[in-house]
């Protein structure tokens, strides 16, 4: 085993984190009899040698030795090695295809290629051409793996049949043989998925593969899971398929699904290892984020991957996807419902539409008997923000009810329930209720703050209940005063409490915020200083006692950095409201080099000038100059130009905002509020506003939230209403068109 491994000079190759000298040891550890050793080596291989799908020269050089392991029927962890081989090969082929298309595009555009030193270094570094060649040369090995006695080996190998076999007709024939030979749902669904991959990659077999999938769909004697798989994979291969009829057929097949087998939890293929964080080794919110990541990557039903694919194919057809999800949420399989709840949450987060019925259906799951289903439903509603309104009665009933078990944890005390899923369910439901501004969540938040159990979650929700500030603010103050600001791990918790106190703006919290500001200034903890300044800004004129401390931070040498100085100027305006005090500090920020602030702070400088309004007229020449620039600074300066200069600047402002919005949809969060402030002067923007409302998705910005997008839509409608223009939303897909090319969905 591994003959010649040590003859390779691995030190001359690199992976994601340095030289590849550790690769031989990793390969040997993959052959270890100890599962923990193999798992550790596999995790390191994915993270360093095959980092985020990258294929380095050392990755390609590892392939012959990985094949040795894969071909040893007695090798432990054989399936994981084959999955790794498939992942490397798929990445290599994809990157070759991308480079080929990129070169073709460059040639079509008349761009001449030049061999630069940087390009030479690139080709010395990467290894996907060699890797792609090698996996194709070893295609016969994958065909053999796909027929191995070990079902996990077969699961890992089947996807290779659609990727690495050059003879597409043979690959298709092997897949048909594998479907007939397999008895398990996981394996059969993998065969169908691989058939679609082959059809999409190789046009010469597309017609035959699509026709076969249609035959399987129409075969009433087949297992409904296989027929559902055929339906979904066929839809992938047919542009313009009839979405409505496909969903109706899928709903019918889901109703025929048999009860899950005892081994339903087996995933179709071993997942790449996820890093774990031990309790107490990191801040609580970081640990919680990794726990959520682990939950997100886990599936509970053999058809989940298939239905995820169907949702991807349906894309922005919200009505059809909602109909499909409604059936998924009515499944008798609790695991399928858990997965469906996550899909429902993702639909609501990504796509616009009337989600009320779906939200109400999610809320119905709070009354169910399965703790994990209840927890997932509560988490989905918490993620929905204000769109959780249709589930408000269900949330309130769940949060306030007596627990059904005998543990003695009732009502709000369930926040600290000893059972993980019941605790998570109650916490997520309370957070969702608080997100609606419903004070029935208050008792649960008080339990968290009094007992210290997951208090950081309650802190984040506290600011949503200003009517309960009298009870929340004193507890938040106690918590704030108990922090050791010198501990780096407490920084985000301090920030959360300061933000909550700022949201509540209760006078009882003002003194504690001032104390933290003073302590952080003396300790040089400038991030905490900035968090405190933001809180004081929310208090507004009520924070006048802190004015001298804030002003000191605006003076040369008064703060640790330019970012803090700008935060202090912003707070000074919110607290004092004196343009004569603030403008001399602010205007230099419009200079080309950012003046006393960072060059990248011009967005905030412009925003503050806009908040000052006409009193900042001295800034108009520089705002016009900076608005003429491209990118975010130009957008922010144009918006400020309107706020400061008014009607006389309308043409200039629109000439900047509308093209910028067209080029970068993310700028809508600045552009649309400005258009709303412009009133009738925004009339030329009506087509752009209507086009925005016609979009099916919540935006191209990955950071777009439900709350942010709903506010964007509200503002668009408000502007159009003021202009007397219609604000209708259109179906981006148009009417569904039936497809009769092969088989039917009925």
């Amino acid at each position: 085993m591994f003959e010649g491994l040590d003859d390779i000079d691995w030190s001359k190759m690199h992976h994601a984190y340095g030289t590849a000298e550790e690769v031989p040891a990793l390969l040997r550890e993959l052959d270890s009899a100890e599962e923990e050793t193999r798992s550790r080596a596999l995790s390191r291989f994915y993270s360093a040698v095959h980092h985020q799908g990258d294929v380095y020269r050392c990755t390609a050089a590892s392939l012959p030795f990985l094949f040795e392991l894969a071909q040893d029927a007695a090798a432990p962890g054989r399936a994981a090695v084959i999955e790794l081989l498939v992942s490397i090969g798929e990445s290599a082929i994809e990157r070759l295809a991308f480079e080929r298309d990129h070169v073709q595009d460059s040639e079509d555009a008349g761009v001449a290629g030049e061999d630069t030193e940087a390009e030479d270094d690139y080709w010395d570094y990467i290894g996907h051409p060699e890797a792609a060649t090698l996996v194709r040369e070893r295609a016969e090995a994958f065909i053999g793996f796909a027929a191995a006695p070990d079902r996990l080996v077969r699961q890992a190998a089947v996807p290779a049949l659609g990727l690495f076999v050059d003879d597409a007709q043979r690959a298709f024939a092997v897949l048909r043989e594998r479907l007939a030979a397999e008895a398990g749902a996981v394996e059969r669904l993998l065969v169908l998925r691989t058939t679609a991959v082959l059809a999409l990659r190789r046009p010469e077999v597309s017609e035959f593969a699509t026709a076969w999938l249609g035959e399987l769909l129409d075969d009433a004697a087949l297992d409904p899971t296989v027929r559902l798989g055929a339906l979904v994979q066929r839809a992938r291969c047919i542009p313009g398929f009839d979405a409505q009829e496909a969903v109706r057929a899928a709903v019918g097949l889901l109703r025929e699904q048999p009860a899950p087998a005892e081994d339903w939890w087996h995933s179709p293929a071993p997942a790449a290892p996820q890093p774990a964080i031990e309790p107490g080794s990191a801040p609580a919110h970081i640990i919680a984020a990794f726990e959520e990541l682990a939950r997100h990557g886990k599936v509970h039903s053999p058809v989940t991957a298939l239905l995820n694919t169907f949702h991807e194919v349906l894309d922005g057809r919200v009505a059809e996807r909602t109909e499909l999800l409604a059936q998924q949420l009515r499944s008798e399989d609790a695991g399928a419902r858990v997965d469906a709840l996550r899909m429902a949450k993702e639909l609501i987060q990504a796509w616009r539409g009337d989600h009320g019925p779906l939200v109400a259906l999610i809320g119905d799951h709070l009354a169910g008997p399965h703790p994990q289903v209840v927890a997932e439903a509560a988490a989905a509603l918490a993620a929905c923000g204000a769109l959780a309104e249709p589930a408000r009665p269900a949330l309130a009933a769940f949060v306030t009810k007596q627990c059904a078990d005998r543990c003695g944890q009732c009502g709000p005390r369930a926040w600290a329930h000893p059972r993980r899923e019941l605790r998570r369910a109650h916490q997520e439901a309370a957070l969702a209720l608080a997100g609606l501004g419903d004070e029935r969540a208050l008792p649960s938040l008080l339990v968290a703050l009094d007992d210290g159990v997951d208090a950081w979650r309650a802190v984040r929700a506290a600011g949503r209940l200003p009517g309960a500030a009298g009870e929340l603010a004193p507890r938040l103050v106690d918590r704030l005063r108990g922090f050791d600001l010198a501990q780096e791990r407490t920084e985000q918790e301090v920030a959360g409490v300061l933000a909550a106190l700022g949201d509540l703006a209760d006078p009882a919290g003002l003194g504690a915020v001032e104390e933290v500001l003073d302590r952080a200034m003396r300790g040089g903890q400038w991030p905490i200083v900035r968090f405190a300044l933001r809180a004081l800004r929310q208090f507004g004129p009520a924070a006048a006692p802190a004015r001298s401390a804030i002003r000191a931070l605006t003076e040369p040498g008064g703060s640790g950095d330019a970012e803090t100085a700008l935060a202090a100027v912003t707070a000074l305006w919110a607290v004092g409201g004196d343009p004569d005090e603030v403008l001399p500090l602010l205007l230099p920020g419009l200079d080309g080099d950012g003046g006393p602030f960072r060059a990248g702070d011009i967005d905030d400088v412009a925003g503050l000038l806009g908040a000052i309004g006409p009193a900042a007229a001295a800034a108009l020449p520089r705002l016009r100059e900076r608005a003429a620039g491209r990118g975010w600074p130009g957008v922010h300066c144009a918006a400020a130009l309107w706020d400061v200069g008014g009607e006389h600047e309308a043409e200039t402002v629109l000439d900047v905002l509308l093209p910028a919005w067209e080029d970068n949809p993310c700028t809508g969060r600045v552009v649309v509020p400005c258009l709303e402030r412009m009133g009738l002067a925004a009339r030329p923007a009506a087509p752009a506003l209507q086009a925005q409302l016609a979009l099916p998705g919540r935006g191209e910005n990955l950071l777009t939230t439900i709350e942010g997008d709903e506010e964007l839509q509200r503002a668009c409608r408000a502007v159009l209403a003021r202009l007397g223009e219609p604000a209708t939303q259109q179906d981006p897909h148009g009417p569904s068109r039936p497809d009769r090319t092969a088989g039917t969905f009925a």
Side-chain angles (χ1 to χ4, degrees):
M1 182 72 76
F2 299 146
E3 183 178 351
L5 177 62
D6 295 322
D7 295 336
I8 298 172
D9 189 350
W10 297 94
S11 67
K12 291 185 177 179
M13 292 182 275
H14 293 77
H15 57 44
Y17 301 112
T19 63
E21 292 167 282
E22 66 176 312
V23 171
L26 292 176
L27 290 167
R28 290 189 170 97
E29 288 172 358
L30 287 174
D31 193 33
S32 170
E34 299 293 331
E35 183 177 355
E36 183 178 351
T37 301
R38 294 197 309 274
S39 177
R40 184 173 59 248
L42 186 65
S43 179
R44 178 62 179 174
F45 206 101
Y46 271 107
S47 66
V49 188
H50 187 35
H51 176 71
Q52 296 181 354
D54 286 337
V55 180
Y56 309 102
R57 287 180 59 214
C58 67
T59 320
S62 303
L63 289 177
F65 307 106
L66 291 173
F67 270 107
E68 282 190 56
L69 274 175
Q71 289 169 325
D72 182 358
R78 185 185 181 202
V81 172
I82 293 173
E83 186 194 13
L84 176 59
L85 281 167
V86 173
S87 179
I88 293 170
E90 183 175 12
S91 292
I93 288 172
E94 285 179 353
R95 291 175 191 232
L96 270 184
F98 173 80
E99 287 171 358
R100 181 190 62 236
D101 294 342
H102 179 70
V103 169
Q104 184 62 52
D105 289 344
S106 298
E107 291 176 353
D108 292 343
V111 178
E114 296 182 2
D115 292 330
T116 66
E117 184 176 344
E119 288 172 341
D120 291 341
D121 290 343
Y122 170 76
W123 289 107
D124 285 343
Y125 192 67
I126 55 92
H128 56 260
E130 294 85 354
T133 299
L134 197 148
V135 293
R136 282 177 170 142
E137 290 174 349
R138 303 288 185 98
E140 286 297 327
F142 289 108
I143 292 174
F145 298 153
D150 186 334
R151 63 184 297 225
L152 294 180
V153 169
R154 298 198 305 275
Q155 288 175 18
V158 162
L161 303 180
L163 297 168
F164 307 147
V165 181
D166 286 333
D167 186 341
Q169 295 288 354
R170 182 167 183 230
F172 179 48
V174 172
L175 287 167
R176 295 189 65 156
E177 291 170 4
R178 291 313 319 152
L179 186 73
E182 295 290 359
V186 170
E187 291 76 26
R188 288 181 149 197
L189 292 178
L190 269 171
V191 169
L192 296 176
R193 185 177 73 186
T194 304
T195 300
V197 170
L198 180 67
L200 290 168
R201 289 184 61 249
R202 306 295 293 273
E204 63 266 36
V205 296
S206 178
E207 182 179 352
F208 303 106
T210 304
W212 180 54
L213 291 170
E215 293 168 7
L216 296 173
L217 170 60
D218 291 339
D219 189 348
L222 283 176
D223 182 280
T225 301
V226 174
R227 295 179 64 202
L228 180 64
L231 183 154
V232 172
Q233 302 304 340
R234 181 175 175 273
R236 287 180 67 190
C237 301
I238 301 177
F241 69 98
D242 187 329
Q244 293 179 356
E245 191 169 346
V247 169
R248 283 196 294 270
V251 167
L253 291 168
L254 284 172
R255 289 172 180 161
E256 297 178 31
Q257 290 295 306
E262 292 184 2
D263 61 351
W264 62 264
W265 55 84
H266 283 311
S267 58
Q274 295 289 341
I277 296 183
E278 294 295 328
S281 63
H285 66 281
I286 298 295
I287 296 174
F290 273 85
E291 289 176 348
E292 178 58 30
L293 180 64
R295 279 191 293 267
H296 182 77
K298 186 177 181 181
V299 297
H300 302 78
S301 167
V303 297
T304 291
L306 177 64
L307 291 171
N308 270 324
T309 298
F310 198 19
H311 280 285
E312 290 172 5
V313 173
L314 291 169
D315 199 36
R317 297 176 176 89
V318 172
E320 287 84 355
R321 292 182 65 179
T322 299
E323 181 182 353
L324 178 63
L325 282 166
Q327 180 57 41
Q328 292 177 242
L329 290 169
R330 294 186 181 103
S331 172
E332 295 182 4
D333 178 7
R337 295 199 301 277
V338 169
D339 295 340
L341 286 163
R342 291 178 188 161
M343 293 183 204
K345 177 181 69 174
E346 290 165 2
L347 174 71
I348 296 168
Q349 288 176 323
W351 298 98
R352 298 168 174 173
D354 179 11
H355 296 301
L358 182 59
V359 169
L361 185 56
I362 294 172
D364 291 343
H365 286 71
L366 295 174
H370 195 292
Q372 195 167 358
V373 174
V374 175
E376 208 60 49
L381 293 172
C384 287
L387 295 188
E389 181 62 39
R392 184 195 290 259
L395 284 165
F398 178 76
V399 169
T400 58
K401 74 175 184 178
Q402 297 281 319
C403 293
D405 59 23
R406 300 178 182 178
C407 71
Q409 299 286 353
C410 302
R413 300 298 310 170
W415 179 281
H417 202 291
R419 289 181 60 185
R420 178 187 294 266
E421 287 303 326
L422 292 177
R423 182 171 70 249
R424 176 176 176 244
H426 183 90
Q427 290 182 4
E428 295 286 6
L431 296 177
L433 199 58
L436 296 171
D438 195 314
E439 291 186 15
R440 284 174 287 188
L442 178 62
S444 298
L445 303 188
L446 296 182
V447 167
L449 294 172
D450 290 341
D451 295 355
V453 177
D454 293 331
W456 64 276
R457 293 182 186 272
V459 166
R460 291 185 175 183
R464 297 282 191 166
L465 302 177
E471 294 189 76
L472 289 167
R475 290 172 167 86
L476 292 171
V477 165
D478 289 343
R479 186 165 183 80
L480 186 61
R481 286 175 170 154
F483 286 124
D484 179 359
L485 302 186
Q487 294 293 321
E488 185 177 348
R489 283 176 50 182
T490 67
E491 186 176 293
Q492 289 303 312
E493 290 192 78
V494 173
V497 176
L498 287 168
L501 286 170
D503 289 337
L504 295 175
D506 186 272
L510 183 56
V513 176
E514 292 182 72
E515 290 174 19
V516 167
L517 176 65
D518 180 64
R519 288 165 56 197
M521 287 172 60
R522 286 188 281 107
Q525 286 120 4
W526 301 113
I528 295 178
V529 169
R530 293 192 290 273
F531 294 136
L533 288 169
R534 288 170 196 161
L536 291 171
R537 187 173 68 201
Q538 291 174 278
F539 278 91
R547 193 168 174 177
S548 60
I550 297 171
R551 189 185 297 109
L553 288 166
T554 69
E555 298 170 356
S559 64
D561 52 45
E563 185 179 3
T564 305
L566 179 56
V569 174
T570 305
L572 191 61
W573 165 252
V575 173
D578 183 355
D580 293 334
E581 181 180 41
V582 173
L583 283 174
L585 301 170
L586 198 58
L587 289 176
L590 291 177
D591 293 340
D593 60 358
F597 311 125
R598 301 176 305 172
D601 287 334
I602 189 171
D603 298 356
D604 294 323
V605 170
L608 184 51
L609 288 168
I612 294 171
L620 283 173
R622 274 180 279 187
L623 282 173
R624 292 189 195 102
E625 181 183 348
R626 298 307 297 265
R630 296 181 60 83
W632 280 100
V635 170
H636 283 276
C637 288
L641 192 58
W642 168 265
D643 295 324
V644 176
E647 295 280 351
H648 296 295
E649 308 292 343
E651 184 177 355
T652 301
V653 170
L654 291 173
D655 285 346
V656 173
L657 294 186
L658 297 184
W661 192 17
E662 183 178 3
D663 290 344
N664 181 2
C666 302
T667 61
R669 63 177 181 262
V670 176
V671 173
V672 175
C674 182
L675 295 174
E676 188 173 18
R677 297 192 298 273
M678 292 178 71
L680 296 179
R683 185 170 297 281
L689 292 162
Q690 291 164 332
Q692 169 60 223
L693 289 175
L695 294 175
R698 295 201 183 275
E700 298 179 14
N701 181 6
L702 294 177
L703 299 179
T704 296
T705 62
I706 291 175
E707 185 177 23
D709 182 65
E710 291 295 312
E711 172 58 22
L712 182 71
Q713 293 181 72
R714 182 211 61 76
C716 287
R717 293 191 184 96
V719 178
L720 289 170
R722 186 180 302 169
L723 298 174
E725 298 283 350
T728 55
Q729 292 191 4
Q730 304 169 4
D731 178 3
H733 298 281
S736 297
R737 296 185 300 275
D739 176 81
R740 307 297 180 196
T741 57
T744 68
F745 285 116

